[in-house]
Amino acid sequence: MTYDGPENADQARLLRLLRDDGPRSRVELGDAAGLTRARLVAELDRLIALRLVETAGPAASRGGRRSSLLRIAGGVRFAGITIGPREIDVAITDGELSVLARHREPVDVRLGPEPTIARTLELLGKIRANLGLGRLTGVGVGLPAPVAFREGAPISPPALPGWHGYGVRDAVAAELGCPVLVDNDANAMALGEQHAGTGRAFDDFLYVKLGTAIGCGLVLGGTLHRGATSGAGGIAHLRLDEEGPTCACGETGCLEAYSSDEALVREALAAVDAGRSAALAVGLAETGALTVADVGRAAVVGDAAAQALVREAARRLGRVLVGLVNFVNPGIVIIGGAPVGLGPTMLAEIRSVVYRRSPPLATGSLPIVLSDLGDTAGVVGAARLVSDGVYAAP
Ligand SMILES: [Zn+2]
């Protein structure tokens, strides 16, 4: 396979600087990369010859000779993809990971990996055709599942029944003929936050992803931490109570069985059954079913039962976070994927639990915030994932 990547570690560092900080003058690049003038010129010449970097017009003059800006070449194009549990989300980015085009559509991942991936590639093909794109530089994929990173395959994923061990990376790479990397979606979103969100300002942070499949990405010392078998951050099935509700994984009392979207809907139905919520009962009567969006609407209009069940779900997550925050000592905790309308309520409850139950050293100045990237964190992070792979020393 041809490989559009750097030839050595200095070139890799220059590419990452241009990806993360945008166009730079030669002087700025040399300072940031810590390279001598001669080495810098030689490596940039190679990167330009490899069509990875190009000149981008004149830099602001510092007096004397005007120098030109350098940037990632216009031909560099990444795809960032997230699949499931309910939606395929496909984006094409430039070399600085700005989204150029994006398409989302509903998906039923229970049909299995082959039709889902075939449809994903079809969408990607349409976007590429619209943009007139040839070959992609790399493709990153986020899945709502534990992913064996080296193999690029989901492992026993409750949210993706029938996908266990399926080689997603190899299937996509065989079709596209470019580097492909696959990771857990919370990891991808953490990388998105690191690139373009609040996480940009922090070397150590936790990104907690709510939704159907709960997950946590850990960035430690500026690097995503996957652990020995790429299982780090798997908080979904930490058991909070042996007598608790049944979880999608088959066990009982997992965090996900208390705090996922499905758990909120289950509790909402119980509230209707018990006659505790007029707003939720109306929602159920209208459509014959309740969704997490109904729970959000009921909570926003002040329905006490809806608010109570949302706070309880957040409290459970807060208790898990107390342990994580004390163990990892992050600079910030970023929470994404909260159902529409519920973010502020959940955040308030999570903060209250974490601040009340943690010693001041770990949480004295710890911000806990909602993601400001929203739903672009996944695709930007998936693009970042594969760009980290492409912009690595061989
Ligand atoms: Zn579980």
Side-chain angles (χ1 to χ4, degrees):
M1 191 183 293
T2 55
Y3 181 71
D4 303 317
E7 299 166 321
N8 58 47
D10 288 336
Q11 290 179 14
R13 194 167 335 123
L14 291 166
L15 287 168
R16 288 179 183 220
L17 283 167
L18 290 169
R19 175 195 65 184
D20 297 344
D21 298 335
R24 284 285 177 275
S25 70
R26 287 172 195 268
V27 174
E28 288 169 326
L29 274 175
D31 290 348
L35 296 179
T36 64
R37 172 85 189 153
R39 189 72 204 253
L40 176 76
V41 168
E43 299 303 351
L44 284 173
D45 283 349
R46 284 300 301 152
L47 286 169
I48 290 168
L50 290 164
R51 298 192 184 178
L52 293 170
V53 167
E54 64 190 17
T55 54
S61 176
R62 289 189 192 174
R65 193 167 66 87
R66 286 173 74 84
S67 69
S68 59
L69 287 177
L70 291 150
R71 69 178 174 208
I72 300 283
V76 172
R77 293 289 182 260
F78 294 107
I81 297 172
T82 60
I83 298 176
R86 297 196 193 89
E87 188 181 72
I88 301 170
D89 191 349
V90 179
I92 301 279
T93 78
D94 63 15
E96 294 169 19
L97 313 186
S98 296
V99 173
L100 303 176
R102 182 178 178 198
H103 185 84
R104 293 187 275 178
E105 72 172 37
V107 68
D108 185 356
V109 292
R110 291 167 302 180
L111 296 174
E114 281 101 353
T116 307
I117 288 170
R119 180 60 189 155
T120 304
L121 293 172
E122 207 176 323
L123 290 177
L124 182 60
K126 282 185 185 169
I127 300 175
R128 287 170 68 190
N130 285 342
L131 292 173
L133 281 189
R135 196 163 156 277
L136 290 162
T137 313
V139 177
V141 182
L143 298 175
V147 171
F149 186 66
R150 246 172 281 164
E151 290 76 23
I155 300 300
S156 304
L160 298 176
W163 290 59
H164 171 68
Y166 186 83
V168 174
R169 184 197 58 206
D170 292 348
V172 174
E175 285 294 321
L176 297 177
C178 68
V180 177
L181 288 175
V182 180
D183 207 341
N184 165 262
D185 57 0
N187 282 350
M189 289 172 181
L191 291 172
E193 289 290 341
Q194 186 184 31
H195 188 77
T198 312
R200 217 176 139 78
F202 295 87
D203 281 338
D204 303 281
F205 70 89
L206 299 180
Y207 176 86
V208 178
K209 192 209 73 163
L210 300 173
T212 293
I214 292 177
C216 180
L218 292 83
V219 171
L220 302 176
T223 304
L224 183 73
H225 178 77
R226 292 192 177 84
T229 56
S230 54
I235 61 173
H237 305 287
L238 292 177
R239 180 175 280 189
L240 307 187
D241 183 351
E242 294 204 8
E243 309 297 318
T246 304
C247 180
C249 73
E251 297 290 339
T252 54
C254 302
L255 172 64
E256 202 165 279
Y258 287 105
S259 304
S260 68
D261 288 0
E262 284 66 19
L264 290 173
V265 170
R266 183 196 65 225
E267 292 304 310
L269 288 168
V272 173
D273 277 348
R276 282 186 278 121
S277 170
L280 289 168
V282 169
L284 181 59
E286 275 172 4
T287 59
L290 281 179
T291 66
V292 74
D294 295 319
V295 180
R297 274 190 291 274
V300 167
V301 299
D303 183 84
Q307 289 179 342
L309 70 91
V310 169
R311 278 200 300 270
E312 179 56 26
R315 209 170 295 141
R316 300 275 182 176
L317 176 62
R319 285 182 199 150
V320 168
L321 276 178
V322 169
L324 298 183
V325 159
N326 280 280
F327 192 70
V328 172
N329 191 202
I332 191 169
V333 176
I334 304 168
I335 297 179
V340 173
L342 295 184
T345 306
M346 297 188 90
L347 182 64
E349 200 64 37
I350 290 166
R351 282 177 172 161
S352 137
V353 173
V354 173
Y355 295 147
R356 200 171 58 233
R357 297 209 178 178
S358 302
L361 182 62
T363 57
S365 60
L366 174 72
I368 305 175
V369 301
L370 295 175
S371 165
D372 61 351
L373 278 186
D375 60 12
T376 60
V379 287
V380 170
R384 163 87 180 211
L385 167 73
V386 75
S387 74
D388 277 342
V390 171
Y391 295 160

